[in-house]
Amino acid sequence: MIAIGKRIHACRVEQRMSCSELAQRVGCSSSHLSKIEHGERSMALDLLMNIAQSLGVSSDYLLTGGSIRNGKDTYELDEIIRLAFQLKQKQ
């Protein structure tokens, strides 16, 4: 989880966004987000998706560090995953 946190932190800083601003956008506390960035806490899939969307990157980029940081195909895949997750929660 440390690598994911570092990528989240790097994207957030690159966009000149504070920890509290991103936390507010994704619906978690700034202390929780800080612990994610430092690799001290894991996160739920829905939070990962919200963070990726708020930062304008793909969830794949945050998970793997792949070279594609944002792209239409990846974004569409993220939307499919998000919808599948929502459907699973309703069951």
Side-chain angles (χ1 to χ4, degrees):
M1 295 308 282
I2 293 172
I4 295 169
K6 285 183 179 182
R7 285 188 282 276
I8 291 170
H9 178 79
C11 290
R12 180 177 62 74
V13 169
E14 183 179 288
Q15 295 182 26
R16 296 185 175 115
M17 190 182 307
S18 70
C19 184
S20 59
E21 182 180 352
L22 179 58
Q24 185 177 20
R25 287 184 184 191
V26 301
C28 73
S29 70
S30 56
S31 63
H32 181 73
L33 182 60
S34 177
K35 288 178 181 178
I36 290 169
E37 288 185 349
H38 288 93
E40 298 170 5
R41 184 170 261 177
S42 61
M43 69 186 117
L45 178 61
D46 59 336
L47 182 56
L48 173 69
M49 300 297 290
N50 289 339
I51 291 172
Q53 185 175 13
S54 294
L55 293 173
V57 298
S58 69
S59 57
D60 179 57
Y61 172 74
L62 294 179
L63 288 169
T64 67
S67 60
I68 298 175
R69 291 185 58 169
N70 196 357
K72 186 174 182 182
D73 293 339
T74 306
Y75 180 75
E76 290 173 356
L77 178 59
D78 284 349
E79 286 302 304
I80 292 168
I81 293 169
R82 181 187 301 275
L83 290 171
F85 183 74
Q86 289 173 351
L87 287 172
K88 184 177 180 181
Q89 284 183 326
K90 290 181 182 180
Q91 294 179 352

